[in-house]
Amino acid sequence: MINFPSSPLDDAELALRDEVRAFMVDYRKQGHPAQLGINAEPNIEFSKEISRRGWVGMSVPTEYGGHGRTAVDRFIVVEEMLAAGAPISAHWVGDRQTAQMLLKFGTEEQKHRFLPAIVNSEVFFCLGMSEPDSGSDLASVRTRATKTEGGWILNGQKVWTSGAHYADFAVSLCRTQPLTERKHIGLSQLIVDLKAEGVTVAPIRLLNGAHHFNEVFFDDVFVADEMLLGEPGDGWRQVTSELAHERSGPDRFLSVMPIVQRLYDELKEAKLDGAVRAELGLLFARYMTFRTMSLSIARRLDQGELPAVEAALVKDMGTQFENDAINAVRRIIDRQVDPVGDELDALLADAIVTAPTFTLRGGTNEVLRTVIAKDLIRNRGRAA
Ligand SMILES: Cc1cc2nc3c(=O)[nH]c(=O)nc-3n(C[C@H](O)[C@H](O)[C@H](O)COP(=O)(O)OP(=O)(O)OC[C@H]3O[C@@H](n4cnc5c(N)ncnc54)[C@H](O)[C@@H]3O)c2cc1C
């Protein structure tokens, strides 16, 4: 049985929530526009500011420059930031994922080099996994690293690499041993300096011209031995072991919350008919469900568990909810959306273009459902 025990916040956690909420109210009062979660324009000054407040790399141990706090504390910060439309994208990958990967698989040298830099928003990471013919079937990646004196020579191409145009490093999955029938064997992760000779980053633009992701080409790029993450050949296990971090967070159901908030601002004085009230009530009830699920996973991460299947469920249902929320807001406002109109319209226009990507990035919903179904049948003794 998949279980999400309820997990109320304690007094210290509620105080953290109030502190972050007050910070964001103040930030917004300074005239900064709300943006949509991880699609926000990167804002390095903002990332540095919240680093100064101790809100990046919260669960990184103090010996590596972190704050020794919890995944729940990070959940609280992220929830408040997303709900207020904060520009979190620059530090996002490092904070959510790379720091955890480094803690688990990195050498002491890598931990001391990169973790304080992530915590202080001095270095930004992106994820170089997908390739033109390897998305859902990630183990089929063809980017190849060949051993050479003191390191590796990397050749190949990545695609859909979010943030590669401002990140410093890409954690790149590549083949380091010949492909056999067991394609999950022989993959490795390299930390690739995106400014290195032989790396080319080319933008891929969305319909509205927005630039979030890229193609990344590796052409005889030298990657030193000390930039190998974990064991050579163990890349698949490493990548999949962090999925609970990647898929369970509030970013999987809260990206569109600034739109719902603006709608609420617009309607709060209006007399709403029953159908609109019901639609808003349903949205809120569903949001509270995903919040309970996500928070419950954060508690389990703090207990050393990696509930990857529960995380897949949050991402599948949460990203569907985000799409449903956008459609509900469009039905309720019932007008032509103006991309250069007021904040509600501008956010909604952005969401209409980007929402189809929510159920793809980080693993498509079809693939997530396969993961969930297999687990239910194999491990939990429940045929469908
Ligand atoms: C906004 C955005 C940001 C992204 N950022 C990054 C990033 O930073 N780094 C990175 O490495 N990648 C990134 N990606 C890539 C993302 O991980 C892939 O798009 C995703 O894994 C799907 O791969 P694909 O696009 O090759 O589609 P495919 O794998 O070709 O899938 C096409 C369709 O077939 C379905 N399908 C495929 N296999 C199966 C199956 N076995 N069973 C049922 N249905 C199946 C899929 O669900 C999908 O609907 C990003 C994608 C998006 C949209």
Side-chain angles (χ1 to χ4, degrees), residues 39 127-132 134-137 159-162 213 357 360-367 370:
N39 280 345
L127 301 171
M129 295 200 269
S130 307
E131 299 186 1
S134 304
S136 303
D137 183 16
V159 74
W160 316 124
T161 322
S162 301
F213 44 35
T357 68
L360 299 174
R361 63 189 179 194
T364 71
N365 284 24
E366 290 77 14
V367 169
T370 305

